[in-house]
Amino acid sequence: MGNCEALKILLVILLITTTTKVVLVVAGGTQQRIPTTLQGPFEPLTRRFDPSLRRGSDDLPMNHTRLKKNVTSNFPEQIALAISSPTSMWVSWVTGDAQIGSNVTPLDPSTVASEVWYGKQSRKYTSKRGGNATVYSQLYPFKGLLNYTSGIIHHVKIDGLDPGTKYYYKCGDSKIPAMSAEHVFETLPLPSPTSYPHRIAVIGDLGLTSNSSTTVDHLIQNDPSLILMVGDLTYANQYLTTDGKGASCYSCAFPDAPIRETYQPRWDGWGRFMEPLTSRVPMMVIEGNHEIEPQVAGIAFKSYLTRFAVPSEESGSNSNFYYSFNAGGVHFIMLGAYVDYNSTGAQYAWLKEDLHKLDRTVTPWLVAAWHPPWYNSYSSHYQEFECMRQQMEALLYQYGVDIVFSGHVHAYERMNRVYNYTLDACGPVYITVGDGGNIEQVDVDHADDPGKCPSAGDNLPEFGGVCHLNFTFGPAKGKFCWSKQPEWSAYRESSFGHGILEVVNSTYALWTWHRNQDNYKEDSHGDHIYIVRQPELCFDTPAPKQRGQQTNETAAISAKWMQAFSLFIMAIIVTGSL
């Protein structure tokens, strides 16, 4: 491409950018039009469920090749990575054999060491770190139910890492010896307005079905550098329990068991199922309702709290239920919907402090995630966590959250920018991705469909109060449900899949919804949009370092040129002319 042609493209892109449309010139001179949020709010669009597809699939059996244990007792398995800080990484794994039965004896964690050897060259490990190990038990002292005790769960933090660098590592106990095979990962860039993860995958409500397998296979093809798992991981509490036999009516079969048994070996199967991905790509998790898993003495969330390392101390929350972390120029906030979220509680106080300390000149993008959606037009879970929204939404809006990811509803939905059920150009883009492939099947009914509006007594949350409301304003005034797809719902469809977020620069991020049925169709997807930040129009927060020093007019002009320049570079890359 000559300089004259390049200049033409730059001028075209500048013109397009100022009219809020994005056109990329691709190979062969064809044009690919991708909408941007600057064109919004969009007219609500629904893609109805394809009746030729199945709404769900069966759980994979425990003897499935992707779930079976393939190492001997003391060798590491279920290896997983998680971000600790921009220069450190958690490495987690399991050794030993879990036990399930009426009588179980916990293993001794001190019998196996926790070591990670790592370096920048294959089989040349220049550093070594140790960590801690623990076990947990899931106990049901009721006739007919099975107790469980885990293998030994190891967590090691390796630090002093260089950003954007490939590291080779193995983990285990070198004295037995019982070390894993060599694995490799690449660190993410340091916080910076010009550096971002390559691709950020977002998954919710995954489970362990045939659909889950398709989702993960599809995800591996998309080559992410970071994974957000927004709750409901294994569905261990939905698996056939009671020694694998199950019960069609649980309360009928076990009237003296006030707690539903969860089949904990599914957690081990899920760790093996995910290891090909999580041993090389960090996965950041947040709890969903299927992680509650109550047992005796009021104990809950035991598996979630024990199996996953998250940067709770590093982010100052000191709670695995909510935390934050940075990945390049993106600051992520992971919030807990099943612990106290009230404005008088510890989580809210931590969130307010975390937001106050945030420097948007370093991490321009602010992304939040939690399990149940606040904005949802499906019948399932409609207005279920309205109390949480009423407590927290104003704070997130005040600090300019750009995108919110949630799961829980087993369908896909992207909202127009919204605040307090009102279209607002400065509100976040809420996206629901609760359809990774779980056993509960995809949701197809909308609250605005005739006869599908749930009653106010439906969709009661498993934590927190009930704050269902009838709308007092707008097109749904005086009603509990809208009579048509709400204006804040931009796009919805019932399909299993996963999402990919590709942050281009401090202004643009490309969001793509990858449906499972498109797994084998090149360049096919369900939803595709550029999410565009407008800080010069929307920032009005109490933190001076978030406001910047430019006037709105100057900042707007600067932002337009930055958008045009970044898209110019993208066009050159796509045409292969660098």
Side-chain angles (χ1 to χ4, degrees):
M1 179 187 295
N3 292 337
C4 183
E5 290 176 318
L7 181 58
K8 286 180 181 178
I9 291 177
L10 174 60
L11 292 174
V12 169
I13 290 175
L14 178 59
L15 177 61
I16 290 167
T17 303
T18 57
T19 59
T20 73
K21 297 179 181 178
V22 175
V23 177
L24 291 183
V25 179
V26 298
T30 60
Q31 292 184 345
Q32 179 183 0
R33 294 182 178 272
I34 302 175
T36 82
T37 52
L38 296 179
Q39 296 167 253
F42 298 93
E43 286 295 317
L45 175 64
T46 296
R47 177 177 283 180
R48 293 286 175 176
F49 181 71
D50 185 347
S52 69
L53 302 173
R54 291 183 299 171
R55 285 187 57 190
S57 59
D58 294 334
D59 268 323
L60 301 177
M62 288 302 299
N63 62 358
H64 190 280
T65 183
R66 296 174 71 158
L67 276 60
K68 290 192 303 183
K69 184 172 182 175
N70 294 315
V71 300
T72 55
S73 183
N74 288 321
F75 280 81
E77 60 156 1
Q78 305 178 49
I79 300 170
L81 303 171
I83 294 172
S84 169
S85 76
T87 58
S88 59
M89 189 80 73
W90 284 105
V91 183
S92 303
W93 68 94
V94 178
T95 59
D97 295 317
Q99 304 165 53
I100 186 164
S102 56
N103 295 305
V104 295
T105 304
L107 299 174
D108 181 358
S110 66
T111 59
V112 182
S114 307
E115 303 174 25
V116 176
W117 295 20
Y118 59 101
K120 297 179 182 179
Q121 297 183 49
S122 178
R123 295 186 296 278
K124 294 183 179 179
Y125 310 113
T126 56
S127 300
K128 173 183 173 183
R129 292 290 185 273
N132 60 71
T134 188
V135 300
Y136 78 94
S137 296
Q138 193 83 7
L139 302 177
Y140 305 102
F142 310 108
K143 184 179 180 180
L145 302 191
L146 304 177
N147 294 320
Y148 170 91
T149 186
S150 70
I152 299 172
I153 299 170
H154 305 258
H155 299 297
V156 175
K157 182 164 67 174
I158 58 177
D159 52 14
L161 304 176
D162 293 329
T165 302
K166 185 176 289 186
Y167 283 90
Y168 299 84
Y169 75 97
K170 59 181 182 179
C171 57
D173 186 338
S174 60
K175 292 182 180 179
I176 292 179
M179 297 293 286
S180 71
E182 181 178 83
H183 296 276
V184 62
F185 66 85
E186 186 171 332
T187 53
L188 297 174
L190 290 175
S192 164
T194 59
S195 299
Y196 298 93
H198 173 56
R199 287 191 181 97
I200 303 164
V202 189
I203 318 173
D205 304 67
L206 183 58
L208 272 175
T209 69
S210 298
N211 278 316
S212 312
S213 299
T214 306
T215 299
V216 171
D217 291 344
H218 199 179
L219 176 58
I220 290 173
Q221 292 176 18
N222 281 327
D223 189 27
S225 52
L226 174 65
I227 304 166
L228 294 187
M229 188 70 68
V230 294
D232 284 3
L233 284 66
T234 68
Y235 286 80
N237 65 337
Q238 294 290 83
Y239 189 69
L240 295 178
T241 55
T242 64
D243 202 19
K245 297 177 182 178
S248 58
C249 174
Y250 201 88
S251 60
C252 303
F254 302 98
D256 298 324
I259 302 173
R260 184 183 180 107
E261 173 193 358
T262 73
Y263 194 68
Q264 290 295 298
R266 296 300 280 181
W267 280 99
D268 297 305
W270 195 84
R272 297 169 194 135
F273 176 78
M274 295 296 293
E275 182 180 323
L277 186 59
T278 59
S279 61
R280 61 181 180 86
V281 180
M283 178 179 68
M284 310 306 290
V285 302
I286 198 67
E287 74 279 1
N289 56 299
H290 284 274
E291 277 72 69
I292 298 174
E293 298 186 322
Q295 54 175 305
V296 294
I299 297 172
F301 292 104
K302 197 64 177 177
S303 187
Y304 168 81
L305 293 172
T306 310
R307 289 177 181 271
F308 297 103
V310 300
S312 55
E313 292 185 14
E314 296 92 322
S315 62
S317 81
N318 298 314
S319 169
N320 285 30
F321 293 119
Y322 51 90
Y323 60 92
S324 66
F325 66 96
N326 292 323
V330 187
H331 185 71
F332 292 91
I333 296 173
M334 312 290 279
L335 297 181
Y338 301 94
V339 292
D340 186 8
Y341 48 69
N342 290 306
S343 59
T344 55
Q347 179 176 199
Y348 190 95
W350 166 82
L351 174 61
K352 189 173 183 179
E353 179 65 17
D354 188 83
L355 292 170
H356 182 72
K357 293 187 297 185
L358 186 60
D359 188 346
R360 300 296 282 273
T361 66
V362 178
T363 52
W365 286 88
L366 178 54
V367 176
W370 56 85
H371 183 60
W374 293 349
Y375 290 93
N376 162 42
S377 66
Y378 285 81
S379 299
S380 179
H381 305 299
Y382 182 75
Q383 282 200 23
E384 186 173 284
F385 272 76
E386 181 63 16
C387 291
M388 184 183 181
R389 184 193 70 82
Q390 293 177 21
Q391 290 291 316
M392 287 185 154
E393 184 180 25
L395 183 62
L396 297 182
Y397 179 82
Q398 176 188 2
Y399 280 89
V401 170
D402 298 301
I403 311 172
V404 174
F405 292 112
S406 295
H408 204 41
V409 176
H410 303 324
Y412 174 77
E413 187 168 19
R414 171 175 53 83
M415 315 308 156
N416 285 309
R417 292 191 179 275
V418 60
Y419 173 64
N420 194 28
Y421 289 107
T422 303
L423 296 177
D424 190 315
C426 297
V429 175
Y430 290 84
I431 300 176
T432 301
V433 292
D435 41 2
N438 64 83
I439 192 65
E440 292 181 325
Q441 299 192 337
V442 69
D443 287 323
V444 298
D445 295 330
H446 308 111
D448 49 271
D449 291 337
K452 298 300 182 180
C453 178
S455 70
D458 294 332
N459 298 331
L460 301 179
E462 282 149 303
F463 180 86
V466 175
C467 300
H468 297 330
L469 55 82
N470 286 348
F471 293 95
T472 58
F473 54 88
K477 184 176 181 179
K479 301 177 181 178
F480 181 53
C481 293
W482 289 57
S483 57
K484 61 180 180 179
Q485 184 174 356
E487 60 188 8
W488 38 261
S489 174
Y491 178 88
R492 63 189 184 187
E493 71 166 77
S494 300
S495 62
F496 285 115
H498 72 279
I500 295 288
L501 182 69
E502 300 172 78
V503 182
V504 179
N505 56 28
S506 62
T507 306
Y508 273 77
L510 177 62
W511 167 254
T512 307
W513 170 244
H514 294 273
R515 301 174 301 186
N516 280 0
Q517 60 261 40
D518 299 324
N519 189 20
Y520 304 106
K521 300 176 183 178
E522 187 175 356
D523 296 328
S524 181
H525 48 76
D527 189 26
H528 208 40
I529 190 168
Y530 276 101
I531 298 173
V532 185
R533 299 181 63 248
Q534 293 183 281
E536 71 282 359
L537 300 179
C538 297
F539 272 163
D540 183 21
T541 72
K545 59 188 174 184
Q546 290 180 299
R547 295 196 188 106
Q549 303 300 316
Q550 294 174 304
T551 65
N552 281 353
E553 182 179 0
T554 303
I557 294 172
S558 175
K560 293 297 185 185
W561 277 100
M562 283 299 295
Q563 294 165 15
F565 181 72
S566 64
L567 290 168
F568 171 55
I569 295 300
M570 290 170 63
I572 292 175
I573 293 172
V574 171
T575 56
S577 302
L578 278 181

